[in-house]
Amino acid sequence: MNLCVAKEVSVRVGAKLILDNVSVSIAAGEWVSVVGPNGAGKTTLLSVMAGLRTASGRISIDDRDLKELSPRERARLLAYVPQHPEIPPGMKVSSYVLLGRTPHLSFLGMEGPDDFRLVQQVLEQFDLATLGQRTLESLSGGELQRCHLARAIAQATPIIFLDEPTTALDLGHQQQALDRIRRLREEHQVTVVMTMHDLTLAGQYSDRVILMSEGEIAADGVPSEVFDPDRLSDLYGAHVKVLNIDGHLAVIPMAEY
Amino acid sequence: MRTESSPPRCTHPRAASLRSEKLGAPGLLLGFVAILVAASAGLLIGPAGIDKTAAIMELLDQIPFISVDSGLSQIQKNIIWEVRMPRVVLGALVGATLAISGASYQAVFRNPLADPYLLGAAAGAGLGATVAIVTGSGDGIGTFDLVPLLAFLGALTAVALTYTLGYSSGAQRSPAALLLAGVAVASFLTAIQTFIQQQNVDTIRQVYSWILGRLNTASWDEVSLLAPYALVSTFLILMYRRTLDVMRLGDVEASSVGIRPQLVRLVVICAASLGTAAAVAVSGLIAFVGLIVPHTVRLLVGTSNRIVLPLSILFGAAFLVMVDLLGRSLASPAEIPLGVITAFCGAPFFVVVLRSSKRTLG
């Protein structure tokens, strides 16, 4: 069953077509990575599917047209973590994660005991319980990334959109972040759509990869099919090799000297 | 996905601590003590030389079921109830309104330097008051003093002009356009006000007296003029105190958790501007209150608007009552304009804020 469907979506900025008649379907429980060179339209597609950017065409989540939903109704269906989330100065970790409960509160309402309890569980799941009273700006990059994910999980939505969730993380933290997303996905049956630059990680963790180029979908399928060396070399303008190491894909740029 | 079909009660000890951090009870207690101390000082200290014990008796006598004889003459009673009390109440209302307006402007613009006069309220009020004074309809005598009315209308018109200009220039995409529109409108109105003032040098002293802020004309009439606007403005802003924390995430992320950032900004700006316009109308331009008080509160209790906003009300009220007491005591029997004292406090204060900016600049 398709949870999220984007049909014939186009975005134009001035004379430039950022997305050109793109259609995508995301099945419930799927982990989909949107990859492609810089300027391919990955982030635009993600923000359009998250209902945060206007576009022509139709986007539906759980068979409900996003344009017909109020922001609050929409935020109960999908959570979104941008590439560079805001870090409000002086805000405590627990307060930050509590903001994820916003769409579940009544108009101008405050959190109740159930919200506090749920957020406490999320803090523990993300190993943030001991950091709850720390301010966001005092955290390391890896800890901050966990906070952003925790806020999205606290939103308790069936689908989460993550814009390059491993940006600015070192190798170990990238792997830990994606492992955590995998565990959360299994525990909560949440559908994950994310943009990625690292093709190796995208290939190893995702069920499916959408390769974009110049506002269009160049390929869509399981990573082993999409990551064709010639196709990637052509799209990225680089010499690329795809290795299969014990069943794990590795996409490696090769120096040409 | 986690659902909330049968959520258990909040029994987890850490969950309880999450909840208690929102209350800021010590801060509220401190705020009430501050306002009590400031109001008591404002009521008991003055040039009339009324015995403080007798004045306390007079105040206690007004409490239901307490009857004590203060021994004060009717004139002394009138000084307490018709001169000092309205002045303290008006000072508290103006201080509270300017402080919460400043805090809410800082929240919606995510700019620590935003103050209640950011969108041209001061310039508009200044122009309105100057017009009233130079045309002779604002001498402060009788019922036809147009200074408060024109200052009020001037402030609201300026903010409306800024909003219209800002939104026709792209403020829906970025609040920065609104700030720039505020600078343009304030500059333009100040230019007109300065020109009118320069053409009417005989009233320059009155205009300056108003611009530098004063409470020496405080009366119950002015209290009743300001109170409805201050209450409506404060109530609306407090309703949005949690939403203003969400706004700290920026427009995109606030929208992603179900908030309409532009609508929130509009409502809060309207509420804050209404309160500011009414405060300016009765007190003149008192600078820095909307900056000093919220930043001090953030230094004390952190940056959450849930607690910064209510505490700004209490500390803003206490602060201005104390400033007014200083203004009428330091050079007694002359009075130092309030704007002079608040500005005098403002400069060193910002050095403190700068030094602790990592924590407070929210």
Side-chain angles (χ1 to χ4, degrees), chain A:
Chain A
M1 180 202 154
N2 286 327
L3 180 63
C4 174
V5 177
K7 201 172 178 187
E8 296 167 357
V9 170
S10 295
V11 173
R12 185 182 288 278
V13 176
K16 189 170 167 55
L17 206 53
I18 309 290
L19 285 182
D20 187 4
N21 212 30
V22 172
S23 293
V24 176
S25 296
I26 312 287
E30 221 177 1
W31 184 344
V32 177
S33 286
V34 182
V35 299
N38 289 334
K42 306 183 294 290
T43 296
T44 305
L45 177 62
L46 203 74
S47 55
V48 165
M49 290 173 82
L52 298 170
R53 183 164 183 166
T54 51
S56 63
R58 184 177 188 272
I59 315 279
S60 64
I61 307 266
D62 207 12
D63 283 334
R64 301 176 74 185
D65 190 334
L66 277 194
K67 285 177 183 164
E68 291 170 6
L69 298 178
S70 69
R72 201 156 137 252
E73 288 172 325
R74 186 191 66 217
R76 286 178 174 180
L77 289 175
L78 64 92
Y80 172 79
V81 179
Q83 186 178 348
H84 301 292
E86 290 282 339
I87 313 294
M91 186 175 281
K92 289 176 180 170
V93 170
S94 54
S95 304
Y96 181 75
V97 178
L98 268 171
L99 295 183
R101 299 303 299 157
T102 303
H104 300 277
L105 307 180
S106 61
F107 179 62
L108 302 177
M110 293 287 172
E111 300 92 344
D114 304 331
D115 300 299
F116 290 118
R117 183 181 169 279
L118 189 145
V119 165
Q120 186 59 45
Q121 286 175 347
V122 172
L123 287 172
E124 282 164 10
Q125 278 180 329
F126 281 83
D127 298 327
L128 291 170
T130 55
L131 305 178
Q133 296 305 306
R134 290 260 299 274
T135 57
L136 292 174
E137 64 265 36
S138 72
L139 302 182
S140 69
E143 290 166 341
L144 263 181
Q145 184 59 28
R146 297 203 316 257
C147 287
H148 303 318
L149 288 174
R151 201 195 78 204
I153 288 295
Q155 211 169 318
T157 59
I159 186 165
I160 294 180
F161 294 91
L162 306 170
D163 192 4
E164 302 199 18
T166 56
T167 300
L169 295 182
D170 63 39
L171 200 66
H173 282 104
Q174 286 184 23
Q175 205 167 31
Q176 286 164 24
L178 293 171
D179 281 337
R180 194 175 293 275
I181 293 169
R182 179 158 59 191
R183 282 201 302 275
L184 290 166
R185 190 175 148 245
E186 287 162 3
E187 287 168 19
H188 299 278
Q189 290 84 49
V190 67
T191 305
V192 177
V193 183
M194 66 179 189
T195 61
M196 282 287 275
H197 264 304
D198 190 315
L199 300 182
T200 298
L201 290 174
Q204 290 188 6
Y205 283 91
S206 318
D207 302 321
R208 187 177 139 208
V209 172
I210 296 172
L211 177 62
M212 294 198 67
S213 174
E214 296 180 352
E216 296 179 352
I217 293 177
D220 181 352
V222 294
S224 58
E225 286 175 4
V226 172
F227 290 165
D228 174 71
D230 292 336
R231 180 190 284 143
L232 294 179
S233 296
D234 184 38
L235 276 183
Y236 281 87
H239 184 48
V240 172
K241 276 198 171 182
V242 180
L243 307 178
N244 190 325
I245 305 168
D246 300 332
H248 295 292
L249 286 180
V251 180
I252 302 172
M254 306 295 288
E256 291 186 352
Y257 55 83

Side-chain angles (χ1 to χ4, degrees), chain B residues 72 92 132 136 170 181 228 273-274 276 287 334 347 352:
Chain B
L72 294 178
S273 301
L274 187 71
T276 300
V352 175

Side-chain angles (χ1 to χ4, degrees), chain B residues 297-310:
Chain B
V297 169
R298 288 190 190 101
L299 276 171
L300 290 173
V301 298
T303 57
S304 171
N305 286 305
R306 305 171 196 222
I307 192 67
V308 168
L309 290 170

